[in-house]
Amino acid sequence: MAFRQAWGRWPEVATDRDPVGWVRSASHEYALSPWHRFRRAHRRPDKPPADTADRILLEALLALPPVHRRTVLLYDGVGLDLPDTAAETEASTPATGHRLLRAHAELARRIPPLAGVTPERRSAMLRERLGAVRPAVSLEPRPAATVRAVSEHRARRLARAALVLTAVIAASTGYTTVTAPDHYEPPVAPGASVSGVPPLSGPPRLTETSRYLQDKLRADPAAGPHRLHPELE
């Protein structure tokens, strides 16, 4: 994946001071991307190394903080010197040296053969161990022609998808422009007539039942002010 990204952004990579470091950084960011958890392959973890010593080394490396793990892999695994390791991890050289010492101490606590040796010998042993690790899957890179073909095919697919999306947005905008109203229609007032029908305003007409109740209340002898000020008999 990192090689495909490098080919897709080749004008930038070709003028970079360290194209190999660019590919390493791209590979590191891709490997730690949080989007991998949504991939189907992420649900099936990688097979552990077959050798017991390799498994112990892998578990010890995975127990380190990510920045310490990256520092150890660049310095002891890839073989970069301390300034180049500091530049690739975006840290100062003294800070990278302290990270390396702390990582080596933690690895010595988890890997018995590294305990009780000097820091120089510990770093040399780590380089030997990392160089001798036999992964459970093949890590051979694809040929350059295959990487270029896959990258160009992916770029063409992305270009077609962008054109299709642009066409859909343009069609939706045109349809909305044609079908949308082009003038303001004020709402009909409650007291205005609609299609010649006069509006219903004022109190509703009394029904027969309502009229009967109204006449009964008016004819009641207790109606009027007598309800509020009754007289003594």
Side-chain angles (χ1 to χ4, degrees):
M1 184 62 187
F3 288 110
R4 293 203 299 265
Q5 291 180 0
W7 178 251
R9 303 171 62 176
W10 183 246
E12 174 187 349
V13 178
T15 57
D16 193 89
R17 296 179 58 183
D18 186 12
V20 178
W22 192 99
V23 173
R24 278 197 301 264
S25 299
S27 178
H28 178 265
E29 294 177 359
Y30 178 78
L32 298 184
S33 175
W35 296 104
H36 288 318
R37 69 185 64 180
F38 300 105
R39 299 179 57 192
R40 183 179 301 176
H42 182 74
R43 303 173 185 174
R44 299 190 300 270
D46 297 335
K47 296 180 180 179
D51 188 51
T52 304
D54 292 345
R55 286 200 303 269
I56 295 175
L57 177 61
L58 177 61
E59 293 174 357
L61 288 173
L62 292 177
L64 295 176
V67 65
H68 290 185
R69 186 190 316 141
R70 186 181 184 186
T71 303
V72 170
L73 291 177
L74 290 176
Y75 184 80
D76 297 318
V78 180
L80 299 182
D81 57 9
L82 198 59
D84 290 341
T85 303
E88 192 156 328
T89 56
E90 300 180 354
S92 64
T93 303
T96 304
H98 288 299
R99 290 174 179 173
L100 198 61
L101 291 176
R102 288 194 293 268
H104 284 176
E106 181 64 22
L107 290 176
R109 191 179 66 85
R110 295 177 177 272
I111 303 175
L114 298 180
V117 299
T118 61
E120 294 79 7
R121 179 56 184 164
R122 187 177 298 165
S123 181
M125 291 178 62
L126 274 174
R127 292 186 181 184
E128 294 175 0
R129 294 287 299 274
L130 289 173
V133 170
R134 296 187 298 273
V137 294
S138 177
L139 298 180
E140 292 294 330
R142 295 182 178 182
T146 304
V147 173
R148 289 195 295 267
V150 173
S151 301
E152 293 173 358
H153 179 65
R154 183 173 180 270
R156 286 193 295 268
R157 287 191 304 172
L158 291 177
R160 294 194 190 101
L163 290 176
V164 171
L165 180 61
T166 303
V168 170
I169 294 176
S172 302
T173 304
Y175 177 78
T176 304
T177 304
V178 172
T179 58
D182 56 356
H183 60 281
Y184 175 71
E185 296 181 0
V188 180
S193 60
V194 180
S195 301
V197 180
L200 180 62
S201 60
R205 296 181 180 181
L206 295 176
T207 60
E208 293 296 332
T209 304
S210 300
R211 192 182 301 278
Y212 170 75
L213 293 175
Q214 186 181 42
D215 295 341
K216 184 177 180 180
L217 290 173
R218 289 178 178 176
D220 196 306
H226 301 289
R227 289 185 174 182
L228 300 179
H229 302 284
E231 298 180 356
L232 298 176
E233 297 181 357

